[in-house]
Amino acid sequence: MKKSFIALNMAVAIGAGSMFSAGYASAESISELKKKESQIEENRSKVHSNIKDAEKSIDKVKGKQADLALQLQKLEKQMKETENKINELNTKITKTKEQIEELKKEIKVLEDKIEKRNELLKERARSYQVTGGNKNYLEVVLGASDFGEFVERLSAVSAIMDADQDLIAEQERDKKELEEKKTSVEKKLSDLESMMAEVKKMKAKQEQQKKEKNQLMKQLKKEQKHLEKEKIGMEEEADILAGQEAAIKKAIAQEQARQAEIARQKQAEKKRQDELAKQRAAEAKKQSAPSTSSSKSSGSSSSVSAPKAAPAPASSGSSGSFMKPSAGYYSSGYGGRWGKNHNGIDIAASGNVPIVAAADGVVSRSYFSSSYGNAIFITHYINGKQYTTVYAHLSSRMASNGQTVKKGQQIGVMGNTGNSFGQHLHFELHEGPWNISKSNAVDPRKYF
Ligand SMILES: [Zn+2]
């Protein structure tokens, strides 16, 4: 197995292509491979244009975010203005209320004064009443003993009456003035309060707007994150596809070399047989002319005409079957799991568990993925058919991109990296190339 592998590698001969004949079945598989290669190329360009689209979408979302940030900034400024207005109004309202209180006090003082004056007037009227009240002013006047006294009394009574009336009128005027002022201040207060109600309504509206805009911003950020994650996924996909393309090219070269080696060996064998036959014929001729029949010659002649169309088995004796890539028990099978399709099998074991290549192949991708963790993809070409195996969640990788690996060769160590819960190997087998929808995945156990 090992020997043939070395021979295979040495046989990468220039001009080997010319030695292919239509009779070789594997020449057809090479054209099949080339077809697949172009399919992968097509797939890759699709993925690249998807990445470009994702980038455009991300830019768009970022632009929306910038717009929104500007709007929020403006709104923030407006809200500050509103807050200032509220503070201003609050000060005004407080002042006006104080003013009203002040006026109320003044009115009260005046009312008290009027009250007291009224009391005084009543008192005085009562004292007049004792002597006859208002009617008795006349009596006071008429009660004069002479004209001189009459005049004197008359003017005195009249003066008292005038003074009282003036005072009352003045106080009533003051009171009315104060009340008018109070009314106007109260009107001012109610204006201020309705203004305040308006401003508060505006504030509530602005707060609602801010909430909505912040919500939208959050959504846009989430969208951006999602798009970026998607883009990373697509880039990963593109890298895997690129790796597969390179691996297939290598697989083709190796297959061509293998066929060249087979052809070379066949020709050498034919030459050897021809030579042997010639030698034997010459010997037979030399030994005796009449006795021609020889058991040896008949045997050799049959070997000369051996069918050259029959292709030799693949260089590695393991072709056509895969081996279990690690020790351990099957912790999860292929197919439906938790409502999702499990595109591989899980093999779990504890300790330091080597992971080996399930078959001969070329490493198409060896990398770290957020989901697969440390992962290795191997492209296989077995009996004219392409396969891909995937080994995920490794704790370490021991094979690099483009490396040729043999069946059973260690490529890593079982681990718990990426989206994994507990040490295990996630193993996938695809009949054909890997693709993002994993449409070529099959249950690997049917190949073990
Ligand atoms: Zn799994």
Side-chain angles (χ1 to χ4, degrees), residues 337 342 345-346 424 426:
R337 181 174 72 163
H342 190 220
I345 55 168
D346 291 343
H424 78 285
H426 171 83

Side-chain angles (χ1 to χ4, degrees), residues 263-306:
R264 196 190 61 74
Q265 282 173 359
K266 261 202 174 127
Q267 260 190 351
E269 175 66 12
K270 187 172 180 288
K271 206 172 158 192
R272 202 177 64 80
Q273 293 285 353
D274 283 352
E275 219 123 294
L276 206 67
K278 241 187 256 167
Q279 223 173 54
R280 278 174 187 157
E283 251 170 62
K285 218 177 197 176
K286 206 164 72 181
Q287 273 190 0
S288 80
S291 66
T292 42
S293 67
S294 161
S295 59
K296 273 179 194 168
S297 72
S298 70
S300 61
S301 75
S302 72
S303 84
V304 169
S305 60

Side-chain angles (χ1 to χ4, degrees), residues 170-185:
E170 198 185 317
Q171 283 175 342
E172 287 294 342
R173 211 162 44 237
D174 284 353
K175 193 186 160 191
K176 203 179 161 199
E177 221 170 87
L178 282 173
E179 265 163 357
E180 270 168 9
K181 201 172 170 190
K182 187 178 156 225
T183 306
S184 99
V185 174

Side-chain angles (χ1 to χ4, degrees), residues 276-418:
L276 206 67
K278 241 187 256 167
Q279 223 173 54
R280 278 174 187 157
E283 251 170 62
K285 218 177 197 176
K286 206 164 72 181
Q287 273 190 0
S288 80
S291 66
T292 42
S293 67
S294 161
S295 59
K296 273 179 194 168
S297 72
S298 70
S300 61
S301 75
S302 72
S303 84
V304 169
S305 60
K308 72 169 192 178
S315 59
S316 64
S318 60
S319 285
S321 69
F322 291 81
M323 65 182 281
K324 193 181 168 194
S326 85
Y329 66 96
Y330 296 115
S331 59
S332 186
Y334 178 87
R337 181 174 72 163
W338 305 320
K340 268 172 93 180
N341 199 40
H342 190 220
N343 295 297
I345 55 168
D346 291 343
I347 303 171
S350 58
N352 190 305
V353 187
I355 305 296
V356 301
D360 291 0
V362 176
V363 174
S364 53
R365 186 102 178 107
S366 170
Y367 77 124
F368 182 84
S369 149
S370 59
S371 51
Y372 274 142
N374 276 313
I376 289 177
F377 286 59
I378 299 178
T379 294
H380 308 275
Y381 182 60
I382 295 165
N383 285 344
K385 260 187 90 180
Q386 189 197 340
Y387 300 88
T388 310
T389 50
V390 178
Y391 313 75
H393 311 310
L394 312 184
S395 71
S396 65
R397 287 176 275 125
M398 293 161 66
S400 51
N401 289 332
Q403 189 179 326
T404 302
V405 290
K406 299 300 291 178
K407 182 179 186 179
Q409 180 183 332
Q410 187 172 2
I411 54 167
V413 177
M414 191 185 279
N416 189 25
T417 55

Side-chain angles (χ1 to χ4, degrees), residues 5-139:
F5 172 57
I6 291 162
L8 182 150
N9 269 348
M10 290 196 312
V12 181
I14 297 167
S18 63
M19 296 170 88
F20 295 145
S21 69
Y24 291 122
S26 36
E28 277 166 46
S29 48
I30 283 171
S31 83
E32 195 63 36
L33 267 184
K34 289 211 159 136
K35 216 163 81 193
K36 269 188 181 134
E37 193 189 328
S38 76
Q39 271 170 6
I40 285 173
E41 226 155 335
E42 213 172 281
N43 231 335
R44 266 179 75 201
S45 74
K46 221 190 282 167
V47 172
H48 279 296
S49 88
N50 285 347
I51 290 172
K52 281 247 164 66
D53 286 349
E55 275 166 355
K56 263 186 221 154
S57 299
I58 289 167
D59 284 347
K60 222 169 164 182
V61 168
K62 277 184 174 166
K64 274 186 194 166
Q65 282 178 29
D67 272 356
L68 199 58
L70 224 66
Q71 285 175 29
L72 269 164
Q73 223 175 0
K74 223 164 149 186
L75 189 63
E76 210 70 62
K77 206 174 146 199
Q78 286 172 349
M79 285 178 87
K80 209 159 203 173
E81 277 166 16
T82 306
E83 204 54 51
N84 284 344
K85 210 169 231 166
I86 285 172
N87 287 338
E88 202 181 296
L89 277 172
N90 263 331
T91 312
K92 273 187 184 164
I93 285 170
T94 308
K95 252 188 200 155
T96 309
K97 276 180 175 165
E98 275 168 12
Q99 218 177 338
I100 288 169
E101 283 313 303
E102 204 56 45
L103 280 168
K104 272 181 180 168
K105 258 187 230 161
E106 280 178 45
I107 288 168
K108 184 89 178 58
V109 167
L110 209 58
E111 272 173 350
D112 284 353
K113 265 190 192 162
I114 290 168
E115 185 65 28
K116 267 183 195 144
R117 179 63 58 194
N118 276 338
E119 284 299 317
L120 209 66
L121 284 175
K122 263 184 214 158
E123 196 67 36
R124 198 172 293 160
R126 220 175 292 125
S127 74
Y128 284 139
Q129 222 151 29
V130 173
T131 50
N134 251 0
K135 192 175 78 186
N136 295 329
Y137 277 116
L138 195 59
E139 276 170 17

